[in-house]
Amino acid sequence: MDYIREFDIRLEKEMYYAGEMLAGHVILDTVENFKLKAIRVLLRGKAHAEWKVVVSGDRRTVKDDHVFIDDRAVIWGKEKLEGNMPILPRGRHSFPFRFQLPESALACSFESRSCTVRYYVKVTVDIPYASPPQGMKYFTIIGPHIDCMDEQYLKPLMGADQRATCCLCCRRGVVSVRSNLERSAYCCGESIRLKADIDNQSDEVLRIRLKLVQYVEFFIDRGVLGMTKEVNHTVLEYRGDPISPNTRSKFDSSSSLVVPVMPPTLIGVCRLLQIYYVLKVWVEMEKSGDDLHMNFPITIATCPFRIPNSNQQPKIEYEMCCDHVEGGMYIGPEFLLGQVYDGTMGCVEEGETVVLYRPVYVCVKNKAKTDQSSSTRTDDSTPKSPQRKCDQKA
């Protein structure tokens, strides 16, 4: 509209936890008086799954939605007009609004090609006999609440496997491995604590290998059985030093497996999306290929481990997801600003890609910068968001 000079939506912060109060202002700067019926605010949070399938030779798009939040408010004027139309005087106006976020578990903000979980505030300026100006402001939900200090995650997990090597009918030795995972839940930025004892009584050279894998399942409730889609990505990988024949070796991953920034475990919160992680541990036998395998379920939490009765508490940051897992590989086209016209020589110049919105996730800040080796791939180029203590909101 010609008489609206500025229209903006401003939130007090960019990320929220379930149960918090979301507050902000709608800014309107007008150059003249005009009739205004109402200013409406919509708070919406929903998951949207969509992909293409081939049915009987026809290519179709299937989609489904799961709404978590749907709240509305009128912050100026009235929903039902009575009497004369009110007039908004010219000048700069700030209209506050507040919404109470539900206490129930909320899915984390998430971006992927097949499914998105987005939370936003939408404002409509209802001007009679005119197309109403609208604006949207996206924000991040940190959830669901998963605390590394919960008893179920503090119990160590044990694993063991052994294999007798042989050549034809001759038994040549036994290879055995025993492993101990100190706890099963970790925040991004923490080190996975795995210890392993390898006894190599064979004549082969062995190596211990570890791989943290992200599994993401998408669901669409259509028809009798519905439709599913699954993807998995290697989060990080480690390959140990050779273990000579007839020797024993001990392995400790305390400084080798630092969890990069990625979405937390999401099970039973959203009917369209499920995210879980598995730590795969195996001993690689270079000659026979008869490897020993163990799998440990890993929970990516939103509240880090704290040392009991300690004054040193972990420092929390909020960072964007690394770009080699689901949640960081995709940026919606509606959030990308690419080519920019600079007004010179009548051409469009290639500028830096500007991302208008990306969700962030909880990350524990290490005191010393972790050595980024080839075995642990993380994304260091992402900007950081303001800090927030985890214990402010469970």
Side-chain angles (χ1 to χ4, degrees):
M1 306 298 291
D2 293 339
Y3 40 83
I4 296 181
R5 183 161 42 199
E6 181 185 1
F7 174 27
D8 196 12
I9 305 168
R10 298 177 185 175
L11 300 179
E12 287 186 351
K13 53 187 180 179
E14 299 297 321
M15 69 281 299
Y16 290 86
Y17 287 74
E20 287 190 324
M21 184 68 69
L22 182 144
H25 290 78
V26 176
I27 305 297
L28 272 182
D29 190 358
T30 61
V31 296
E32 63 179 71
N33 303 342
F34 65 93
K35 293 183 179 180
L36 178 59
K37 183 178 179 181
I39 299 177
R40 299 183 177 88
V41 182
L42 167 67
L43 173 64
R44 174 70 60 84
K46 73 172 183 177
H48 175 76
E50 177 179 340
W51 63 81
K52 295 184 182 298
V53 296
V54 177
V55 180
S56 301
D58 296 332
R59 191 172 177 84
R60 302 178 184 177
T61 299
V62 292
K63 59 182 69 176
D64 200 359
D65 291 331
H66 180 183
V67 177
F68 302 104
I69 307 172
D70 189 358
D71 204 353
R72 303 163 191 266
V74 177
I75 60 175
W76 194 88
K78 295 183 179 180
E79 186 67 35
K80 294 183 179 180
L81 186 62
E82 298 176 0
N84 296 329
M85 186 78 65
I87 296 177
L88 182 70
R90 68 179 182 181
R92 184 178 177 85
H93 305 274
S94 177
F95 304 99
F97 60 85
R98 296 170 68 87
F99 289 101
Q100 179 69 51
L101 295 176
E103 294 279 357
S104 58
L106 295 176
C108 61
S109 299
F110 180 78
E111 293 285 321
S112 73
R113 191 174 298 276
S114 300
C115 181
T116 60
V117 181
R118 294 173 176 171
Y119 299 87
Y120 60 88
V121 172
K122 182 179 180 180
V123 176
T124 303
V125 181
D126 191 352
I127 301 173
Y129 312 113
S131 178
Q134 295 182 341
M136 296 178 67
K137 175 70 173 179
Y138 288 86
F139 62 94
T140 294
I141 286 291
I142 304 296
H145 176 70
I146 305 174
D147 193 345
C148 290
M149 299 299 292
D150 287 351
E151 185 177 354
Q152 59 179 321
Y153 303 126
L154 293 177
K155 297 178 181 178
L157 300 180
M158 311 291 292
D161 195 5
Q162 69 176 16
R163 197 68 44 84
T165 62
C166 60
C167 180
L168 298 178
C169 297
C170 302
R171 181 167 173 167
R172 294 193 172 183
V174 176
V175 176
S176 63
V177 57
R178 298 179 64 86
S179 57
N180 176 23
L181 186 64
E182 186 178 283
R183 52 188 169 95
S184 59
Y186 298 86
C187 257
C188 300
E190 292 183 325
S191 297
I192 296 177
R193 303 298 182 92
L194 178 82
K195 295 182 179 180
D197 291 327
I198 302 101
D199 186 4
N200 182 15
Q201 298 303 314
S202 72
D203 60 355
E204 293 191 41
V205 175
L206 310 180
R207 287 180 187 269
I208 187 170
R209 295 191 64 179
L210 298 92
K211 183 186 291 186
L212 180 61
V213 182
Q214 178 199 53
Y215 293 90
V216 184
E217 297 176 354
F218 307 103
F219 308 93
I220 289 181
D221 187 11
R222 288 290 182 268
V224 178
L225 299 177
M227 297 184 179
T228 62
K229 183 177 180 180
E230 180 178 335
V231 297
N232 64 80
H233 301 283
T234 298
V235 178
L236 52 86
E237 191 171 7
Y238 175 86
R239 190 167 187 256
D241 296 328
I243 303 172
S244 302
N246 301 307
T247 60
R248 291 188 176 187
S249 176
K250 293 182 180 293
F251 170 77
D252 189 341
S253 71
S254 297
S255 59
S256 304
L257 299 178
V258 178
V259 180
V261 181
M262 56 189 182
T265 299
L266 192 65
I267 298 177
V269 178
C270 176
R271 62 180 177 84
L272 308 183
L273 176 66
Q274 182 168 274
I275 306 172
Y276 61 96
Y277 299 86
V278 175
L279 178 65
K280 298 178 178 291
V281 182
W282 73 96
V283 174
E284 185 179 68
M285 306 178 72
E286 294 190 348
K287 287 184 180 180
S288 64
D290 195 12
D291 301 341
L292 284 70
H293 293 272
M294 288 161 289
N295 291 338
F296 296 97
I298 294 290
T299 299
I300 301 301
T302 54
C303 202
F305 177 80
R306 283 93 66 198
I307 301 175
N309 303 320
S310 173
N311 294 328
Q312 294 184 351
Q313 296 300 319
K315 191 173 279 188
I316 299 299
E317 291 184 330
Y318 297 90
E319 298 188 4
M320 297 176 189
C321 182
C322 60
D323 60 6
H324 61 272
V325 300
E326 209 70 25
M329 304 173 70
Y330 172 80
I331 300 175
E334 61 269 44
F335 300 134
L336 287 174
L337 285 180
Q339 296 180 338
V340 179
Y341 176 65
D342 66 356
T344 61
M345 301 182 66
C347 63
V348 176
E349 292 192 354
E350 288 281 352
E352 288 188 10
T353 300
V354 178
V355 179
L356 300 178
Y357 163 77
R358 287 188 73 182
V360 294
Y361 302 100
V362 174
C363 179
V364 176
K365 182 179 180 181
N366 294 321
K367 292 182 180 179
K369 290 185 178 181
T370 306
D371 183 19
Q372 302 298 330
S373 63
S374 58
S375 62
T376 304
R377 297 168 297 171
T378 61
D379 184 3
D380 296 325
S381 61
T382 53
K384 299 175 181 178
S385 299
Q387 294 184 7
R388 171 190 169 86
K389 292 182 180 179
C390 179
D391 56 2
Q392 286 181 347
K393 183 62 191 176

